[in-house]
Amino acid sequence: MKTYRCVFLMGVEKALEYRVNFLLSMLSAAFPIIVQATMWNFLYTHSDAAAVFGYGHGQILMYTLLATLVSQMVGAGVEWEINGDIKNGGLNKYLVRPVDYRWYCFFGFLGQKVPRFAVVGPVAAVIIALGMWQGLPLSPGRVLVFAVSLVLAVVLNFHIFFCIGLLAYWLTDVDKLFGTVSIVITVISGGIFPLDIFGGTVEFLVNLLPFGYTTQFPVNIINGRFGWGRVGAGMAVQCAWILAFVCLGGQLWKRGSRRYMAVGG
């Protein structure tokens, strides 16, 4: 574990290496929050949207604020590094050393999350406290379960994008795909707005597929949308999807390594 502890610390240093870029990336999250909050305020003030969407005014504002912050906290980015290692031969140094590449990426990923959590975490805590003050059905137990679900969401999102990054074994210039995939996953995970407002088939797919469990599910725990039975079932699904993507990543790594050509590096 000493090796991975060093990788973790390197991840922290890497996240803070370009401080202005880090600060601007955090500030950029404020603009979609302002736009969405303005839009929802208009809808709830001038229509009976509460009856249509099933979210109270306070709930939808809480969702808008927390979904953006949760997306910031669970966001990956590891796929770009994996693609670069495979494409440019940087993977060579990991194959000849006693290091598990998946764990190397994971601990580096966690290290890069520390500064982001240090900034976003207190903001999320203030928002939750304001929600409790406004009378939303929050409790210390629900906040604790939200924190556990958020940790599972971070792990799940890492493994999803780890598998996406391994597509570089088969696609020559897969990094052009990452931007599109990232935007699509942000939307279908509920990072922009809650997808269960559409009901029916869309809500069923959100509950079935893994993406909603990285953003929408943790946020709706805080929102009070789920009873404890639904919360427990959802966290079990999170664990099941993590296991599924761990196995998928192992198979992709095994098959991809057979076709890898150690060029460059």
Side-chain angles (χ1 to χ4, degrees), residues 7 13 25 67 120 130 141 143 149 175 208 221 234 244:
V7 173
E13 293 177 0
S25 70
V120 175
L130 289 174
V143 174
S149 177
D175 62 328
L208 179 65
I221 292 177

Side-chain angles (χ1 to χ4, degrees), residues 109-133:
F109 164 77
L110 289 182
Q112 293 181 50
K113 286 296 168 190
V114 170
R116 197 168 293 270
F117 267 82
V119 174
V120 175
V123 177
V126 170
I127 293 172
I128 292 171
L130 289 174
M132 297 177 70
W133 181 63

Side-chain angles (χ1 to χ4, degrees), residues 232-246:
M235 294 179 72
V237 174
Q238 280 184 305
C239 294
W241 274 118
I242 289 173
L243 180 61
F245 277 101
V246 167

Side-chain angles (χ1 to χ4, degrees), residues 39-55:
M39 179 192 70
W40 288 119
N41 271 323
F42 178 83
L43 286 175
Y44 277 79
T45 302
H46 296 85
S47 71
D48 59 347
V52 176
F53 299 134
Y55 282 79

